[in-house]
Amino acid sequence: MTTYTAVLRDGTFRVLFGTRTLSILADTLRIVAFSLLVYAATDSPALAALAYGIGFLPQLVGASVLGALADRIRPRRLIVLGYLAEAAVAAVLAAVALPVWASLVLVAAAALLTPVFMGAQSALIAEALTGDAYVLGRSLSNVASSLAQLVGMAGAGVAVATVGGRNAMLLAAVGHVIAAVWTRLALADRPAPASAAASSGPTKTGRTSDRPSTTGPASDEPTRRGAAKKGTASDEPTRKGTARDATARVGKAHGLAAASWHGNAALLRDRTIRRLLLMQWLPPAFITGAEALMVPYAAGRGFPAGVAGWLLAAIPVGMVAGNLLVGRLLAPARRERLVPALIALMGLPCLAFAIPSGAAGGHPTWPLLAAALVVVGVGAAFGLGVQTAFRDALPANGRGQAFGLLSTGLMTAQGLLPALAGLLAEALRPGLVVGLLGAATLLTAAGAAPGLVRRQDRREQQQRAGHGGRDDEVEALLRR
């Protein structure tokens, strides 16, 4: 049975895990310090909130026009450049007294590169870890990310209070530089995925994979569904005017922006990939919108000062516990089958916030609500049941862009939903809005993963029939 210790023995994962955790710590420190400095300079809660979240929405633009870079540049070089860019932003903010608008523009511009180098990181992890090791690797990364954010939030307050906001951002810059040097010295220098695919030569049949290409020219790697039958592109029924063909033509005729745009379109046109993307975007976005209302909810209920902080800390605590329990104790097939139940576990506790003041039994107490939010965090481990299917559905020479699209969509949704939830809370009670977001999460659970369940059913049937239960054959059946 695969263990966390075995996953950490992989050198590539160990470097990426360590550097990314350090980078999250540094970035959390920079975000909090920058937000506090903007508030001190402007006395504007709106600008302080904008400073906190300015790095999210620009990632959508970055993925749209630069996403193909994740598969065109050698990954080590790209990741190092990403960390150095983050270090440069933190250093400039610390050392130069820029106007607030210029500081916001600088942070937004740097965020354009985030989906590119994060996509390269995720693609390397997907390449380095196979089978259940990949899921445990993602579980370990999720735990470390949650803990790093919690430590970073607490450490940022201490750092700003002791050394000041600008010196705190210098510390963040140092953290990113250490991550860049660590990556440069310890990570193997692999070729860019698109270059490796182009140099691998044609298949024996002269056919190409029927996966949607996201990097321009169609991949010449052998299809994972087995050799194609003579006279057909694969043993799976083809769709008229495949996304792969359209992307290949654009990649040959146009530049980076066109290849990135049409590569993302090709991924989203693929029914399996689109379904798995939405499955990973929507539930976390709904819950982030609910989190954004904890402060006004706690104030409206008259809870003591500081209770909102306990409520906000409850979900990360549950996420750590859920990732450890689901990742370590459940077999891969059971993780996939429990995806709908775990998504429902995220939404159901949110309904408690919608209980009106005149209801029988009264409002739940804040400790009960905090416990409910811990359960919400445990449900976030549903992603561990989706990640293997998502990785397997991607074109091998376009994984970097696909993972960049995944992270960008998640960041964008998590940036938009709090704003929408806040607007809705202007007309309705905050608790009612939290309950509505929980109901929306339950709706996504209702149709979340029948494809994943069928994937397991067909695998088991093929194993009983002696066919080995290959994932490529299952995927072909699912697409029908």
Side-chain angles (χ1 to χ4, degrees), residues 442-456:
L442 290 173
L443 287 177
T444 62
L452 293 176
V453 175
R454 290 199 304 271
R455 184 172 183 255
Q456 291 298 328

Side-chain angles (χ1 to χ4, degrees), residues 136-293:
L136 289 187
R138 293 302 299 264
S139 169
L140 199 57
S141 297
N142 292 342
V143 170
S145 175
S146 297
L147 291 176
Q149 288 177 358
L150 287 172
V151 172
M153 291 287 186
V158 174
V160 171
T162 55
V163 302
R166 294 193 181 276
N167 287 331
M169 285 194 287
L170 280 178
L171 291 176
V174 171
H176 288 305
V177 169
I178 293 173
V181 173
W182 186 355
T183 301
R184 177 63 181 81
L185 296 178
L187 188 64
D189 189 19
R190 291 176 171 81
S195 300
S199 63
S200 63
T203 65
K204 292 181 180 180
T205 62
R207 300 287 178 182
T208 56
S209 169
D210 63 351
R211 294 282 189 197
S213 171
T214 65
T215 59
S219 169
D220 288 330
E221 68 174 20
T223 175
R224 288 177 294 173
R225 291 188 177 85
K229 295 181 181 179
K230 185 175 180 180
T232 62
S234 73
D235 59 351
E236 174 190 344
T238 58
R239 294 186 295 274
K240 184 177 180 180
T242 63
R244 176 186 59 80
D245 295 335
T247 309
R249 289 193 295 271
V250 171
K252 292 177 181 177
H254 300 286
L256 174 63
S260 300
W261 180 265
H262 288 274
N264 289 332
L267 289 166
L268 292 172
R269 278 196 298 267
D270 185 285
R271 184 177 62 184
T272 300
I273 295 175
R274 183 175 65 249
R275 179 190 184 91
L276 292 169
L277 283 170
L278 289 172
M279 200 182 301
Q280 296 174 87
W281 287 343
L282 293 180
F286 292 140
I287 298 306
T288 301
E291 277 185 294
L293 297 177

Side-chain angles (χ1 to χ4, degrees), residues 64-81:
S64 300
V65 300
L66 302 174
L69 280 177
D71 298 301
R72 292 185 174 193
I73 297 178
R74 302 177 81 88
R76 186 180 72 180
R77 180 182 304 170
L78 194 57
I79 295 168
V80 169
L81 288 174

Side-chain angles (χ1 to χ4, degrees), residues 298-345:
R301 287 284 312 275
F303 289 149
V307 166
W310 288 105
L311 295 177
L312 288 170
I315 290 181
V317 169
M319 290 174 65
V320 171
N323 273 272
L324 290 174
L325 292 172
V326 174
R328 188 66 184 89
L329 300 181
L330 298 183
R334 186 168 294 277
R335 286 190 214 115
E336 292 188 359
R337 290 186 182 280
L338 286 177
V339 164
L342 288 170
I343 295 177
L345 201 63

